[in-house]
Amino acid sequence: MAEVVLHIYDVTNSGSEKTNNTIVQINRFFKDGIGLGGIFHSAIQVYGNDEWSYGYCEQGTGVFSCPSGKNPMYTYREKIVLGKTDCTIFLVNQILRELSREWPGHTYDLLSKNCNHFCDVLCDRLGVPKIPGWVNRFAHAGDTALEVAGNTAMRVKQAKTELVSASKVAYRFLSNVTSNITNGSNGSNGSNGSPQRPGTLNSSDNGNFRLQGSWLKGILNTAKPSTSTEIGNKEEDANHTIANQKKQSRDSDVLLFQ
């Protein structure tokens, strides 16, 4: 059995001393002060003196190693013993080779596939508890927010598409009804004194059908379905109108308190 150790760093590789100091202060407040989390880099040590982690690169694997606690890109913070693995050193080397193929550097994503996610996967394969939730909490929160925003935008777009489709179906239906009524009125027998055949229309019925045809045409002219682009333009016009109303309201407030 071998001990599995998590090494945690403050992410201070921005290139700006002011930004790096700000990150350290954020981590002190949100982690040390209220125990919520922060902006951290993590790595796993098992068998030997090196730690293993994951980062971005354009080509090849993103999995890399360095002496434990001595990654020059970050500021070392602390270590946590996660437990002991039953994996042999041979099996650990095999796991690391597999992860090196599965985690290419170009797939790195700050919110959904970062060093902390890699450490979670490695711990799972080593059979020890995953890293504490506070280490990667900010990334999880950001990823969830993006997912919610993306789903909301997709639903709005889908609703617009369904609205346009439904209006087109209704328009075609009303067009067919109007066409049938108009054809019926034009093809009916006039009032010429001849006896009315079964199934034909008298002059009174003809007048009603002409009236109904004109009425439905009027509806179609005013209710022709808009395209997705037209709907978007109407929304922009509405937003512009609301913005102008808010501006006028603010202007009146300024005049009121002068």
Side-chain angles (χ1 to χ4, degrees):
M1 298 180 69
E3 196 171 61
V4 179
V5 180
L6 172 68
H7 295 280
I8 303 171
Y9 299 78
D10 291 319
V11 177
T12 53
N13 61 338
S14 68
S16 167
E17 183 177 356
K18 182 177 180 180
T19 300
N20 292 340
N21 290 335
T22 299
I23 292 175
V24 171
Q25 295 299 322
I26 289 174
N27 288 349
R28 286 177 180 172
F29 176 77
F30 283 100
K31 169 55 178 69
D32 302 334
I34 60 179
L36 181 61
I39 305 171
F40 303 111
H41 170 79
S42 63
I44 296 293
Q45 177 186 1
V46 56
Y47 285 115
N49 298 319
D50 286 349
E51 63 181 33
W52 294 86
S53 190
Y54 170 74
Y56 173 81
C57 63
E58 293 183 356
Q59 295 181 344
T61 181
V63 178
F64 66 94
S65 65
C66 68
S68 297
K70 297 181 179 180
N71 189 321
M73 296 181 61
Y74 309 106
T75 301
Y76 191 76
R77 181 180 183 87
E78 62 182 295
K79 71 175 183 179
I80 300 175
V81 177
L82 298 175
K84 291 187 177 182
T85 179
D86 292 329
C87 298
T88 63
I89 188 171
F90 174 80
L91 183 54
V92 170
N93 286 332
Q94 182 180 342
I95 291 172
L96 289 171
R97 284 195 297 269
E98 292 173 353
L99 292 176
S100 295
R101 292 191 296 268
E102 296 170 8
W103 290 71
H106 70 273
T107 62
Y108 178 92
D109 184 88
L110 181 63
L111 297 181
S112 61
K113 193 175 183 180
N114 60 31
C115 57
N116 302 315
H117 296 105
F118 170 82
C119 289
D120 265 344
V121 173
L122 178 54
C123 288
D124 184 63
R125 298 198 184 183
L126 293 175
V128 298
K130 293 184 178 182
I131 67 176
W134 58 263
V135 177
N136 205 29
R137 182 163 289 137
F138 279 15
H140 287 314
D143 193 35
T144 301
L146 287 179
E147 183 178 355
V148 170
N151 289 341
T152 301
M154 184 180 297
R155 288 171 183 171
V156 171
K157 183 178 180 180
Q158 182 179 2
K160 287 183 179 180
T161 302
E162 292 175 351
L163 178 61
V164 171
S165 299
S167 62
K168 286 181 179 179
V169 171
Y171 180 78
R172 285 196 296 268
F173 173 77
L174 290 176
S175 296
N176 291 334
V177 172
T178 303
S179 176
N180 292 336
I181 291 176
T182 304
N183 292 336
S185 63
N186 290 337
S188 61
N189 292 330
S191 193
N192 52 8
S194 60
Q196 182 177 340
R197 296 179 181 179
T200 60
L201 304 173
N202 56 33
S203 60
S204 175
D205 292 332
N206 288 342
N208 290 335
F209 273 106
R210 291 192 188 96
L211 178 61
Q212 292 173 7
S214 300
W215 176 72
L216 284 173
K217 284 183 179 179
I219 292 178
L220 292 175
N221 289 334
T222 57
K224 188 173 182 179
S226 301
T227 63
S228 299
T229 303
E230 291 172 342
I231 290 177
N233 292 337
K234 290 178 181 179
E235 289 179 350
E236 291 180 1
D237 293 340
N239 292 335
H240 183 67
T241 301
I242 293 173
N244 287 336
Q245 291 175 348
K246 289 182 178 179
K247 182 178 182 301
Q248 293 173 0
S249 176
R250 288 195 299 268
D251 293 341
S252 63
D253 290 341
V254 171
L255 292 175
L256 180 64
F257 290 101
Q258 281 181 346

